[in-house]
Amino acid sequence: MHLSETVNTGFYSLAPLLVFAPVVGLLINAIFGQKFSEKVVGTVASLASGTAFVVSVLLAYSVAINHGHAVSVPFAEWIHIGNLELDWTFRVDSLSATMMLVVSGVGTLIHIYAIGYMHEDVRFKHEEGRFARFFVFLNLFIAAMMVLVSGDSYLMLFVGWEGVGLCSFLLIGFWFEMDTLARPSWANSNAAKKAFITNRVGDFGFLMAGFLTFWNFGSFQFDKVFEAAPAIAHNSPGIIVAITLFMLVGVAGKSAQIPLYIWLPDAMAGPTPVSALIHAATMVTAGVYLITRSAPLYTLVPQAQYIVAMVGAATALFAATIAVGQYDIKKVLAYSTISQLGFMVAAVGMGAYVAGMFHLITHAFFKALLFLSAGSVILGMERGHHAHAHHAAHDDHGKGKKKKEEHGHDDHEEVFDPGDMRNMGGLRKTMPVTFWLYMAGTLALAGIVPFAGFWSKDEILLDAKLHYTSVYWQLAIAAFFTAFYMGRQIWMVFFGEARTEVAKHAQESPKVMTVPLMVLAALAVLGGGLNLPFEGFHNLTHWLGYTLGEVEALPLNLGVAGVSTLLALLAIFISWWIYGRNPLKAGQPDPLKKPLGFIFTGMENKWFVDEGYGVLILTPFKKISQFLADVIDWRFWHDFVHDTVIAGTYNWLSEIVLSRYADQKGIDTFFNSWGSFTQWLSGNVRKIQNGFVRSYALSVLLGVVLILGYLILK
Amino acid sequence: MVPVDYYVVLSAVLFSIGTLGVLSRRNPLIIFMSIELMLNAANLAFVAFASVYETFSGQIFVFFVIAVAAAEVAVGLALIVEIFKTKKNINVDEMNSLKG
Amino acid sequence: MNSDLIVFLVLSLVAVSTALGMLFSRNAVYSALFLVLNFVTVAVFYLLLGAPFIAMSQITVYAGAIMVLFLFVIMLLGAENLAPSESLPWQKPLAALLSAVLAVEAIYLLFSRASTARSVVSPDASLNTIESLREMAMDLFNHFLLPFEITSILLLVAMVGAIVLTRQDKGEANGSS
């Protein structure tokens, strides 16, 4: 991949705006946010993100007219020590431009949506001042994500990687001191910490990969690394294997793969736009992007590729089974996200980078759509809850009102979870727009022809069939489960009768929320058009081929497509049989619970992975820490070494030798007499300070005369 | 033909008289005038040297000094008037709040 | 003893005596008038030294504007005389002594270290032309433009400062009326 010096058309010089437009937006909101009205704050943030999108479009256009030449836009020198030169350079090629488009495009829509969502969210939680802060974080995320995807080296990628991790932490813990679901009040901040710490484990892998890269290649730059890679792979393939596998650890952390996926479901504690933007559409795909970006490395080591593919496939299947047993509307989607990320990782692991990226793009569309629609559902429920509660309060004259005042905001009679699907039902009638949008997302995710998800998922399955049969079967079963749990969700949420009063009173969301959703829905429906498996329609394959090298575009395989479509339809039919035919009644347990028994209990409880980690890692870790803290640190180091040995000796020395003799007798006497002298002297000298300006001036003249005299006598 | 040293001696004498005025008088207005006298003495030396060395720089410097002196007098007299308004007296010895 | 020297000696005598007169006058108005005379004398010196522009500035700014300002303030405050009450008995003799020492030191230093042994040539008619003024102006605006601008700002600040200092506060004015 040579950087062409002849490229002189295009808008490459605009690249820094990708990062700085959101930064300007966040600075404006950070400084003036409290003074602005919510509309202005939201507009500023959306405009900042929208600017990034426009720049992305211009950059993609520039790449297109230059036939995919990768262009480096140097921006700033960072570290220059000896031969080490680390710069902040923007890399614009078809791969990074694709990511920029996805991030800023979906990001901008979610910004707009969030204006409506947060408007109500901050009111339901009685904390209106937090509105501006949310958009500051959101813009910061866009900026960090842009640093990640536009970086020219692993180092800049890592900077962005950490930046988005920070934003993820900040936004998961956005409601850090409150929890409306009767959990401890720090549950949200715990979720944020869990995400951050789990990502730390992944980042350790990324860091190791980075160190190894620098040690062996002497550079972080993509081009230099990839150029040198074949020679090193020839001499010592172990190094490349180590680098790629350590990188996989990083990917597992950021993209929520086994074994580090556990943070993502908890991350749903953040506001829903965050779940959509960070924990579904963009940030979690950073791992997929990293592997795609490192394609030249992975291609050299098939063993590592196999491991990546297996991890992805296992995650896809595993998470899909858990999603079946969840009741929280966002948790289902979270596990679905993990599962779909597994699809992508499996795809890039098999070397099907285009398929992986394709799925990344379509998934960004329909999963953002699903999350945002879920947010719309949740807010609809909240509105219903409020309307209902108000109603009740009106009935018994001020009694409820008084109670409300006494207990603050969320102490109505009982804790109400607006995200629990068991509380919903029949929302099709009260929230028709959201229902249709949700349906579009569901069909896309379930892989029904001709929605976007079908084409991208099918491409992955086809690749899997050609490469690894075991991966293919895992993914096919995962796809089956995907269709099943989405069907289950649709029946439970939108069909049947309202299971609670709240669901009966649910209200549709305002336009500012539904219009971005419609755009996303259109993309979810039509997104497949990016890369249809027919001759002449392999647009994305060609486009990414500029960066990844020409890949063979696979034609449609009716066998694979047929099997997956049949599986999906079958799954939806089964879900209708179970959940749609006889709608769930209020208080009735899940109908799957009986026939599946302990299996369903496992699904419901996420296969006890968190508990397993607790027993396997956390408990021993805590015990070791306790041992270290209590025995080694406190008793040995503190009590014995520090207190007895060091402090004891020191005490003796200081008390007897230094204090009594040296200090009190020697030094004190000297300084006390010095002090008395100073006191006596100052008592006399202060008489000079008589306050008359003229006498001060006289002393100045005296000084002048003396200096002149010195000059004369010198 | 006057040796330039004579001018400088005159300047030094005028300067010293100004100094004496600043130090010995208690009327702030006269102190001020003495300061103006000192500035004039310095100006005289400047112009004398400028004349000898045939350069305009000295004259230009004097020009600036005159401008600054005008500014100084404007502010200084305003201060004196203000002090008079608050203290009803302008004796500098009355202004001894610096006393330690 | 040429004529220049005679003129110089006579004028310096006038300058020193008016300076002393300014210093020793009991009445501040007399002091101011002595000072005006002194300034005019110095302006004549400037003419002798071939600096007509500075001489005119001296007359207009110093002898004219500044001293008139002084006289105004003296009369405004009624500060012609101060009651003779000396609170610093040592101040006057000490000041006189030190000033004298200063003068002696300065003159001694001048003759022992800094004597230039050059003479001022009395200017001829060619100096008082517009050409020499133009030359000076060129010098001023070519090499000293920034100081010139800064001076203008300084004057503005001084003007504003003087106004702010002497302005009567609104509340105060209302209270007194």
Side-chain angles (χ1 to χ4, degrees):
Chain A
M1 195 82 32
H2 279 283
L3 304 181
S4 161
E5 284 83 14
T6 57
V7 173
N8 47 16
T9 49
F11 302 92
Y12 294 110
S13 53
L14 289 179
L17 268 185
L18 288 173
V19 174
F20 287 99
V23 167
V24 167
L26 86 87
L27 285 179
I28 292 175
N29 276 341
I31 297 168
F32 304 111
Q34 298 297 331
K35 299 212 179 82
F36 287 167
S37 70
E38 291 189 354
K39 279 214 179 88
V40 178
V41 170
T43 312
V44 167
S46 306
L47 276 180
S49 177
T51 310
F53 179 64
V54 171
V55 172
S56 306
V57 171
L58 292 176
L59 288 177
Y61 168 74
S62 312
V63 173
I65 60 169
N66 285 306
H67 305 288
H69 280 295
V71 170
S72 291
V73 185
F75 176 66
E77 289 181 4
W78 184 12
I79 303 172
H80 278 201
I81 304 170
N83 291 329
L84 178 66
E85 290 191 0
L86 303 175
D87 291 336
W88 183 2
T89 304
F90 288 85
R91 183 192 176 89
V92 183
D93 58 18
S94 58
L95 177 60
S96 60
T98 310
M99 288 300 289
M100 290 167 197
L101 284 173
V102 172
V103 171
S104 56
V106 176
T108 306
L109 289 174
I110 291 174
H111 271 76
I112 297 169
Y113 171 93
I115 300 174
Y117 184 91
M118 293 312 288
H119 173 78
E120 293 178 69
D121 198 31
V122 294
R123 279 168 181 73
F124 288 134
K125 295 199 169 70
H126 297 262
E127 178 71 59
E128 291 171 33
R130 228 175 269 193
F131 188 85
R133 194 199 296 173
F134 180 80
F135 281 95
V136 169
F137 290 164
L138 221 53
N139 268 349
L140 180 63
F141 168 77
I142 296 282
M145 194 67 199
M146 284 303 180
V147 172
L148 195 162
V149 299
S150 66
D152 187 39
S153 64
Y154 282 110
L155 196 66
M156 279 323 289
L157 201 157
F158 186 68
V159 171
W161 187 273
E162 291 299 306
V164 293
L166 168 70
C167 296
S168 165
F169 168 77
L170 291 172
L171 285 164
I172 295 170
F174 188 71
W175 299 113
F176 59 87
E177 82 289 42
M178 57 176 73
D179 192 282
T180 45
L181 304 183
R183 292 176 299 180
S185 62
W186 56 85
N188 288 349
S189 62
N190 269 0
K193 280 189 276 182
K194 185 172 175 184
F196 203 69
I197 292 167
T198 315
N199 265 303
R200 224 84 296 277
V201 180
D203 292 345
F204 160 76
F206 192 171
L207 274 177
M208 291 305 292
F211 294 152
L212 280 172
T213 309
F214 191 71
W215 186 255
N216 290 296
F217 295 93
S219 173
F220 286 115
Q221 267 231 300
F222 294 139
D223 287 330
K224 288 186 185 155
V225 170
F226 299 155
E227 218 166 273
I232 290 189
H234 191 259
N235 294 333
S236 45
I239 289 170
I240 307 280
V241 172
I243 290 176
T244 47
L245 288 185
F246 273 124
M247 225 176 253
L248 176 63
V249 176
V251 171
K254 190 65 71 187
S255 286
Q257 297 298 297
I258 290 174
L260 298 177
Y261 70 88
I262 46 162
W263 64 272
L264 188 59
D266 288 26
M268 297 303 128
T272 305
V274 173
S275 310
L277 178 61
I278 301 187
H279 305 117
T282 55
M283 184 192 83
V284 288
T285 61
V288 181
Y289 169 74
L290 175 62
I291 297 183
T292 313
R293 178 54 85 193
S294 312
L297 293 183
Y298 278 91
T299 315
L300 295 170
V301 278
Q303 314 93 297
Q305 281 192 304
Y306 181 67
I307 295 173
V308 174
M310 285 308 287
V311 167
T315 310
L317 180 55
F318 188 74
T321 59
I322 297 177
V324 172
Q326 297 302 308
Y327 297 111
D328 189 295
I329 186 167
K330 280 174 76 181
K331 281 273 165 69
V332 174
L333 293 177
Y335 280 104
S336 162
T337 303
I338 298 173
S339 168
Q340 297 302 309
L341 287 167
F343 272 84
M344 296 174 215
V345 171
V348 292
M350 292 179 300
Y353 300 109
V354 175
M357 287 301 291
F358 185 29
H359 197 55
L360 186 157
I361 297 167
T362 55
H363 176 257
F365 295 154
F366 62 69
K367 191 51 70 64
L369 169 63
L370 281 172
F371 261 116
L372 297 183
S373 308
S376 171
V377 168
I378 291 170
L379 275 192
M381 293 289 284
E382 285 269 20
R383 284 184 214 110
H385 181 47
H386 258 243
H388 179 55
H390 235 258
H391 209 68
H394 260 278
D395 282 351
D396 45 22
H397 277 291
K399 189 182 152 207
K401 230 177 201 173
K402 201 174 173 191
K403 200 174 172 191
K404 207 170 159 189
E405 276 158 19
E406 273 168 14
H407 291 276
H409 48 279
D410 46 13
D411 285 330
H412 302 298
E413 286 76 43
E414 71 211 64
V415 175
F416 168 73
D417 182 356
D420 195 327
M421 298 195 290
R422 283 170 297 193
N423 292 338
M424 302 177 183
L427 290 181
R428 181 170 42 108
K429 282 162 253 164
T430 41
M431 306 181 74
V433 181
T434 305
F435 165 68
W436 285 110
L437 294 167
Y438 210 97
M439 278 305 288
T442 303
L443 293 176
L445 174 55
I448 305 295
V449 188
F451 291 86
F454 168 77
W455 304 106
S456 54
K457 195 183 284 183
D458 223 53
E459 208 170 316
I460 294 176
L461 287 172
L462 180 54
D463 271 303
K465 178 115 188 195
L466 294 177
H467 290 90
Y468 308 109
T469 322
S470 62
V471 171
Y472 170 71
W473 284 114
Q474 289 181 55
L475 293 183
I477 298 170
F480 171 79
F481 277 118
T482 306
F484 179 76
Y485 62 68
M486 286 316 291
R488 170 176 179 263
Q489 196 174 34
I490 288 286
W491 303 126
M492 279 178 83
V493 172
F494 290 104
F495 287 86
E497 289 303 315
R499 282 186 288 279
T500 53
E501 280 297 305
V502 172
K504 230 178 250 170
H505 291 92
Q507 291 162 14
E508 186 56 84
S509 296
K511 283 239 162 47
V512 67
M513 288 167 68
T514 51
V515 169
L517 287 180
M518 288 170 195
V519 177
L520 280 172
L523 289 169
V525 174
L526 305 172
L530 285 175
N531 205 23
L532 293 177
F534 306 113
E535 198 58 50
F537 289 95
H538 298 286
N539 299 322
L540 194 68
T541 313
H542 286 301
W543 168 251
L544 289 177
Y546 290 140
T547 306
L548 301 168
E550 277 304 325
V551 201
E552 191 200 349
L554 296 171
L556 182 69
N557 184 321
L558 282 178
V560 174
V563 167
S564 62
T565 307
L566 276 182
L567 279 176
L569 291 175
L570 179 67
I572 292 178
F573 176 74
I574 296 176
S575 68
W576 173 79
W577 187 264
I578 300 175
Y579 296 99
R581 203 167 44 109
N582 299 312
L584 210 60
K585 302 277 179 308
Q588 182 194 349
D590 197 292
L592 272 182
K593 202 163 196 155
K594 224 174 188 179
L596 288 181
F598 70 93
I599 298 181
F600 191 77
T601 312
M603 291 173 168
E604 220 174 347
N605 291 296
K606 312 153 193 172
W607 299 116
F608 299 100
V609 171
D610 277 330
E611 287 76 6
Y613 278 151
V615 173
L616 283 179
I617 299 173
L618 292 187
T619 317
F621 191 78
K622 274 184 196 157
K623 280 206 178 120
I624 293 176
S625 334
Q626 183 140 29
F627 174 75
L628 286 174
D630 197 41
V631 179
I632 302 290
D633 183 58
W634 192 250
R635 283 196 218 148
F636 177 70
W637 278 110
H638 182 267
D639 285 358
F640 178 69
V641 178
H642 287 160
D643 269 10
T644 314
V645 179
I646 299 179
T649 317
Y650 192 79
N651 267 349
W652 173 80
L653 196 72
S654 51
E655 206 166 298
I656 309 295
V657 180
L658 293 175
S659 166
R660 202 166 296 168
Y661 292 97
D663 186 48
Q664 290 180 6
K665 297 244 163 87
I667 297 172
D668 276 10
T669 318
F670 174 72
F671 281 103
N672 281 341
S673 38
W674 186 245
S676 323
F677 170 72
T678 310
Q679 216 165 8
W680 171 82
L681 188 70
S682 53
N684 286 316
V685 170
R686 72 182 276 274
K687 287 175 190 161
I688 296 174
Q689 297 283 334
N690 56 9
F692 293 114
V693 183
R694 285 192 297 150
S695 68
Y696 295 151
L698 192 66
S699 50
V700 172
L701 178 63
L702 183 64
V704 172
V705 166
L706 288 180
I707 290 171
L708 279 178
Y710 169 76
L711 286 177
I712 289 169
L713 298 175
K714 192 178 66 170
Chain B
M1 297 289 280
V2 183
V4 71
D5 293 350
Y6 288 16
Y7 277 99
V8 183
V9 169
L10 174 62
S11 158
V13 169
L14 287 178
F15 189 88
S16 301
I17 293 171
T19 319
L20 183 57
V22 169
L23 292 175
S24 60
R25 298 301 300 259
R26 280 170 297 122
N27 189 334
L29 289 158
I30 299 203
I31 289 177
F32 232 121
M33 291 188 219
S34 305
I35 291 173
E36 298 302 326
L37 185 62
M38 288 158 84
L39 282 173
N40 254 279
N43 286 352
L44 185 60
F46 264 120
V47 175
F49 281 119
S51 162
V52 168
Y53 291 107
E54 292 177 345
T55 165
F56 284 117
S57 304
Q59 294 191 24
I60 289 170
F61 203 94
V62 170
F63 175 67
F64 286 132
V65 170
I66 290 175
V68 171
E72 173 220 340
V73 165
V75 176
L77 288 178
L79 276 172
I80 289 173
V81 170
E82 192 62 19
I83 288 169
F84 182 78
K85 270 197 222 161
T86 48
K87 290 216 163 192
K88 305 294 171 210
N89 193 343
I90 51 166
N91 190 341
V92 280
D93 284 355
E94 298 288 322
M95 301 166 220
N96 57 357
S97 46
L98 277 179
K99 188 165 183 164
Chain C
M1 266 294 188
N2 53 30
S3 56
D4 281 351
L5 197 55
I6 293 169
V7 170
F8 172 79
L9 286 178
V10 170
L11 280 176
S12 19
L13 200 65
V14 174
V16 172
S17 51
T18 49
L20 290 172
M22 185 275 295
L23 184 57
F24 291 116
S25 292
R26 282 270 147 251
N27 192 324
V29 177
Y30 293 171
S31 289
L33 292 175
F34 271 123
L35 196 58
V36 171
L37 195 51
N38 180 277
F39 285 165
V40 172
T41 320
V42 172
V44 177
F45 275 125
Y46 289 161
L47 280 177
L48 288 177
L49 289 166
F53 176 68
I54 297 298
M56 290 307 119
S57 307
Q58 171 88 0
I59 297 283
T60 48
V61 178
Y62 260 127
I66 293 182
M67 291 319 295
V68 168
L69 208 56
F70 265 106
L71 283 171
F72 269 133
V73 172
I74 291 167
M75 290 165 182
L76 175 71
L77 303 186
E80 291 90 344
N81 286 306
L82 281 179
S85 65
E86 188 53 271
S87 45
L88 292 169
W90 287 101
Q91 178 82 10
K92 259 184 189 160
L94 213 53
L97 178 67
L98 283 177
S99 300
V101 173
L102 179 69
V104 170
E105 277 178 341
I107 293 167
Y108 175 80
L109 267 178
L110 180 74
F111 279 104
S112 63
R113 306 280 167 84
S115 181
T116 54
R118 292 203 197 189
S119 295
V120 177
V121 183
S122 53
D124 52 17
S126 71
L127 204 91
N128 289 327
T129 57
I130 197 74
E131 205 47 51
S132 111
L133 192 60
R134 177 174 293 139
E135 235 174 274
M136 178 174 162
M138 292 300 282
D139 211 26
L140 177 62
F141 289 110
N142 279 328
H143 300 124
F144 298 92
L145 186 60
L146 182 66
F148 185 81
E149 297 295 341
I150 293 174
T151 311
S152 64
I153 292 173
L154 180 77
L155 285 171
L156 176 68
V157 170
M159 197 164 76
V160 174
I163 292 169
V164 168
L165 278 173
T166 51
R167 180 188 59 162
Q168 275 201 317
D169 279 336
K170 246 184 193 159
E172 199 180 299
N174 288 345
S176 63
S177 64

